[in-house]
Short mmCIF file of all heavy atoms in Angstrom, two decimals:
data_model
loop_
_atom_site.label_atom_id
_atom_site.label_comp_id
_atom_site.label_asym_id
_atom_site.label_seq_id
_atom_site.Cartn_x
_atom_site.Cartn_y
_atom_site.Cartn_z
N ALA A 37 9.01 -5.54 -13.85
CA ALA A 37 10.01 -4.67 -13.23
C ALA A 37 10.94 -4.05 -14.26
O ALA A 37 11.31 -2.88 -14.16
CB ALA A 37 10.81 -5.44 -12.18
N GLY A 38 11.34 -4.84 -15.25
CA GLY A 38 12.19 -4.32 -16.31
C GLY A 38 13.55 -3.87 -15.83
O GLY A 38 14.17 -2.98 -16.42
N ILE A 39 14.04 -4.47 -14.76
CA ILE A 39 15.29 -4.04 -14.15
C ILE A 39 15.85 -5.20 -13.34
O ILE A 39 15.12 -6.10 -12.94
CB ILE A 39 15.03 -2.81 -13.24
CG1 ILE A 39 16.30 -2.00 -12.98
CG2 ILE A 39 14.36 -3.20 -11.95
CD1 ILE A 39 16.03 -0.66 -12.31
N GLY A 40 17.13 -5.24 -13.12
CA GLY A 40 17.74 -6.29 -12.33
C GLY A 40 17.67 -7.65 -13.02
O GLY A 40 17.43 -7.76 -14.22
N ASP A 41 17.87 -8.70 -12.23
CA ASP A 41 17.85 -10.09 -12.71
C ASP A 41 16.50 -10.69 -12.34
O ASP A 41 16.20 -10.88 -11.16
CB ASP A 41 19.00 -10.86 -12.06
CG ASP A 41 19.09 -12.28 -12.57
OD1 ASP A 41 18.37 -12.63 -13.52
OD2 ASP A 41 19.88 -13.07 -12.00
N VAL A 42 15.67 -10.98 -13.34
CA VAL A 42 14.32 -11.50 -13.08
C VAL A 42 14.28 -13.00 -13.36
O VAL A 42 14.63 -13.45 -14.46
CB VAL A 42 13.27 -10.78 -13.95
CG1 VAL A 42 11.88 -11.36 -13.69
CG2 VAL A 42 13.27 -9.28 -13.65
N MET A 43 13.86 -13.76 -12.36
CA MET A 43 13.69 -15.20 -12.50
C MET A 43 12.20 -15.52 -12.42
O MET A 43 11.56 -15.18 -11.43
CB MET A 43 14.44 -15.95 -11.39
CG MET A 43 15.93 -15.70 -11.37
SD MET A 43 16.76 -16.52 -9.97
CE MET A 43 16.51 -18.26 -10.42
N ILE A 44 11.66 -16.15 -13.45
CA ILE A 44 10.26 -16.56 -13.45
C ILE A 44 10.17 -17.97 -12.90
O ILE A 44 10.84 -18.88 -13.38
CB ILE A 44 9.66 -16.47 -14.86
CG1 ILE A 44 9.70 -15.03 -15.36
CG2 ILE A 44 8.23 -17.01 -14.88
CD1 ILE A 44 9.20 -14.85 -16.78
N ASP A 45 9.36 -18.11 -11.86
CA ASP A 45 9.28 -19.40 -11.18
C ASP A 45 7.83 -19.65 -10.75
O ASP A 45 7.44 -19.34 -9.63
CB ASP A 45 10.22 -19.41 -9.96
CG ASP A 45 10.31 -20.79 -9.32
OD1 ASP A 45 10.03 -21.79 -10.02
OD2 ASP A 45 10.65 -20.88 -8.13
N THR A 46 7.03 -20.20 -11.64
CA THR A 46 5.62 -20.45 -11.33
C THR A 46 5.40 -21.82 -10.68
O THR A 46 4.30 -22.10 -10.21
CB THR A 46 4.78 -20.37 -12.61
OG1 THR A 46 5.30 -21.31 -13.57
CG2 THR A 46 4.83 -18.97 -13.21
N ASP A 47 6.43 -22.63 -10.61
CA ASP A 47 6.26 -23.98 -10.06
C ASP A 47 7.33 -24.34 -9.01
O ASP A 47 7.51 -25.51 -8.68
CB ASP A 47 6.28 -25.02 -11.18
CG ASP A 47 7.50 -24.87 -12.09
OD1 ASP A 47 8.44 -24.13 -11.72
OD2 ASP A 47 7.51 -25.47 -13.18
N ARG A 48 8.04 -23.32 -8.50
CA ARG A 48 9.06 -23.49 -7.45
C ARG A 48 10.25 -24.35 -7.88
O ARG A 48 10.98 -24.86 -7.05
CB ARG A 48 8.45 -24.08 -6.17
CG ARG A 48 7.45 -23.17 -5.48
CD ARG A 48 7.33 -23.51 -4.01
NE ARG A 48 6.15 -22.91 -3.42
CZ ARG A 48 5.80 -23.03 -2.16
NH1 ARG A 48 6.54 -23.77 -1.35
NH2 ARG A 48 4.73 -22.45 -1.70
#
Side-chain angles (χ1 to χ4, degrees):
I39 201 169
D41 183 7
V42 178
M43 300 177 66
I44 297 177
D45 187 23
T46 57
D47 51 13
R48 294 204 195 180

